[in-house]
Amino acid sequence: MTAYPIDRIRADFPILGQQVRGKPLVYLDNAASAQKPNAVIDTLADFYRRDFANIHRSVHTLGERATARYEAARETVRQFLNAEAVEEIVFVRGTTEAINLVAQSWGRSNLREGDEILITAMEHHSNIVPWQLVCQQTGAVLKVAPIDAHGELLLEAFERLLTDRTRLVAVTHMSNALGTINPVKRLTAMAHAHGAKVLVDGAQAAPHLAVDVQALGCDFYAFSGHKVYGPTGIGAFYGRRGLLEAMPPWQGGGEMIRTVTFEKTEYADLPYKFEAGTPAIAEAVGLAAAIEYVQGIGLKAIAAHEHDLIRYATERAAEVPGLRLIGTARHKGAILSFVVDRVHPHDLGTFLDHYGIAVRAGHHCAMPVMDFFQVPATARASFGMYNTREEVDLLIYALKEIIKVFG
């Protein structure tokens, strides 16, 4: 078995070589945004130096080259998600925009008063608020499937909430606040048995798990580029072709049209009717470079490495006096959320920064999760492909020292 190439991977991420407050940077905020490898940085620089122009409507050489690279990026995303057709891949700013697109396009066209949308109690605000908005617009009702004290979805309760009024199930593949990995394929089958469509928020899962939308069976799947080691401002959204064809555009403007008169507009074919205006061209090219980099390491190898890290971090966290883990699901990703007695998470984050350690502190855009666990916030250490056991040791050492300061 080939050893995981951790030294080579870390060397590929130039930001990791710096010091923060005189200490080597330990970056444990990957669930918020992952760092970028040279492959992505160089691709962006090369594109702007050599190939940049606006796309699709150009007949000059730069326009043709830029268009080719943009559309090649779409094919890279299609392969990454194993979508059946490239027309099922829509570029968006990120997962948040994708969910809003489905809510405003599919939701407003298909939901009626009394219809139900089912989500879970572990969702990010981006998979709550868009549905609240569309419920206000249509008279639909938002239902919430509960979780248990480990942060696991209660499957029997989830299934009981599925009725003949359920039109859509929107569920996270992996919780950003807890790390819980949901059985999306099983949930999709349950929802489809009741005639409901399924949207999966894949923002946290895509950097860590191999995603196959055909195997999952979901109707929509979204992820964000910046979490999968790519640029900000770009993401991708899979939609089943038949659904996308029936959905109206949710934004109007250039690029998403075939013909325009003052009397009517004829919309472009998929996927372009959902991509109004000049898109994030370079960022899409950079996203493709990030995906290719991740695939070069191998998602199975990355997942095994991160599984070892979260198992080790969980074991070592037990040594810290007064530390309580928030999110202890049996099947979880590389996220360690915790609170410490008498020390506010924001203080933990601030003091950890003095050790060069970057973690996230707050509600993580998951206030209902914080309410469920009766905490105002948590500190969250989230691991990526380039993190090490030695960095876990530094985190635990720093936490113990901070607790001494607070008595």
Side-chain angles (χ1 to χ4, degrees):
M1 183 177 179
T2 305
Y4 187 73
I6 185 63
D7 292 336
R8 175 171 67 83
I9 291 170
R10 289 184 63 82
D12 286 340
F13 288 81
I15 201 169
L16 299 181
Q18 68 177 283
Q19 291 197 338
V20 171
R21 299 181 184 271
K23 305 285 197 308
L25 170 64
V26 176
Y27 186 78
L28 303 179
D29 195 20
N30 296 283
S33 260
Q35 296 299 341
K36 318 308 172 193
N38 282 320
V40 172
I41 297 167
D42 293 345
T43 293
L44 287 169
D46 175 71
F47 180 78
Y48 278 124
R49 287 192 180 107
R50 298 181 60 253
D51 293 335
F52 177 77
N54 216 321
I55 58 172
H56 291 148
R57 298 175 301 281
S58 300
V59 294
H60 58 75
T61 298
L62 289 183
E64 290 177 350
R65 292 207 308 242
T67 298
R69 294 190 71 175
Y70 182 79
E71 292 303 333
R74 196 189 305 275
E75 171 61 19
T76 298
V77 173
R78 184 202 69 77
Q79 294 177 18
F80 184 59
L81 298 180
N82 194 34
E84 184 176 0
V86 73
E87 291 81 8
E88 296 177 317
I89 302 299
V90 178
F91 282 125
V92 287
R93 287 183 299 158
T95 305
T96 298
E97 184 170 69
I99 295 172
N100 277 276
L101 188 159
V102 176
Q104 292 301 309
S105 179
W106 183 90
R108 293 184 71 174
S109 300
N110 290 276
L111 295 171
R112 301 292 179 266
E113 187 171 355
D115 287 346
E116 296 175 358
I117 300 168
L118 178 59
I119 63 174
T120 80
M122 69 181 78
E123 300 304 322
H124 188 281
H125 295 165
S126 293
N127 207 22
I128 300 173
V129 180
W131 308 118
Q132 291 175 331
L133 290 171
V134 81
C135 283
Q136 293 168 6
Q137 293 160 347
T138 63
V141 179
L142 188 65
K143 299 286 187 176
V144 183
I147 60 176
D148 65 17
H150 298 287
E152 293 185 352
L153 180 63
L154 294 172
L155 293 176
E156 291 183 0
F158 174 88
E159 191 164 23
R160 284 196 300 270
L161 285 166
L162 289 166
T163 72
D164 59 1
R165 301 297 297 172
T166 309
R167 297 290 177 262
L168 180 80
V169 171
V171 60
T172 184
H173 198 163
M174 175 176 158
S175 166
N176 75 303
L178 304 170
T180 305
I181 298 174
N182 280 316
V184 171
K185 184 174 182 179
R186 182 178 176 185
L187 300 179
T188 297
M190 289 181 185
H192 283 171
H194 288 80
K197 302 295 186 266
V198 178
L199 177 144
V200 180
D201 171 356
Q204 292 298 327
H208 308 288
L209 306 172
V211 176
D212 183 335
V213 293
Q214 294 188 69
L216 293 176
C218 58
D219 301 290
F220 305 104
Y221 195 100
F223 73 98
S224 300
H226 68 99
K227 296 185 192 295
V228 70
Y229 307 98
T232 55
I234 188 69
F237 152 58
Y238 158 80
R240 199 180 295 275
R241 185 167 188 161
L243 293 174
L244 293 180
E245 287 176 340
M247 288 162 54
W250 83 299
Q251 291 181 329
E255 185 60 33
M256 48 74 67
I257 54 85
R258 181 177 290 112
T259 62
V260 176
T261 68
F262 288 119
E263 290 70 36
K264 67 174 183 178
T265 293
E266 184 178 351
Y267 305 126
D269 294 331
L270 294 177
Y272 307 110
K273 74 173 181 178
F274 295 111
E275 296 182 2
T278 297
I281 306 166
E283 289 79 1
V285 174
L287 173 58
I291 290 172
E292 288 164 359
Y293 181 84
V294 168
Q295 290 174 325
I297 304 299
L299 274 163
K300 284 186 177 180
I302 292 169
H305 174 71
E306 292 174 346
H307 178 74
D308 175 73
L309 285 177
I310 191 61
R311 182 180 58 81
Y312 181 66
T314 301
E315 291 173 355
R316 294 233 47 206
E319 304 171 13
V320 180
L323 185 147
R324 176 166 66 100
L325 295 178
I326 304 296
T328 55
R330 288 163 293 179
H331 192 35
K332 66 175 288 186
I335 288 176
L336 194 78
S337 289
F338 57 92
V339 293
V340 174
D341 289 346
R342 298 185 300 279
V343 187
H344 194 281
H346 290 162
D347 292 329
L348 286 173
T350 300
F351 275 78
L352 284 170
D353 186 62
H354 285 268
Y355 290 86
I357 301 171
V359 301
R360 183 74 31 169
H363 55 66
H364 315 297
C365 293
M367 286 184 178
V369 172
M370 302 299 120
D371 291 342
F372 176 80
F373 285 98
Q374 297 182 330
V375 295
T378 68
R380 183 186 68 188
S382 51
F383 304 96
M385 69 162 76
Y386 39 60
N387 292 122
T388 66
R389 281 191 169 210
E390 289 75 19
E391 290 180 318
V392 173
D393 292 337
L394 288 169
L395 171 66
I396 300 303
Y397 168 78
L399 286 171
K400 290 179 178 179
E401 292 300 303
I402 292 166
I403 288 169
K404 291 178 184 177
V405 171
F406 279 84

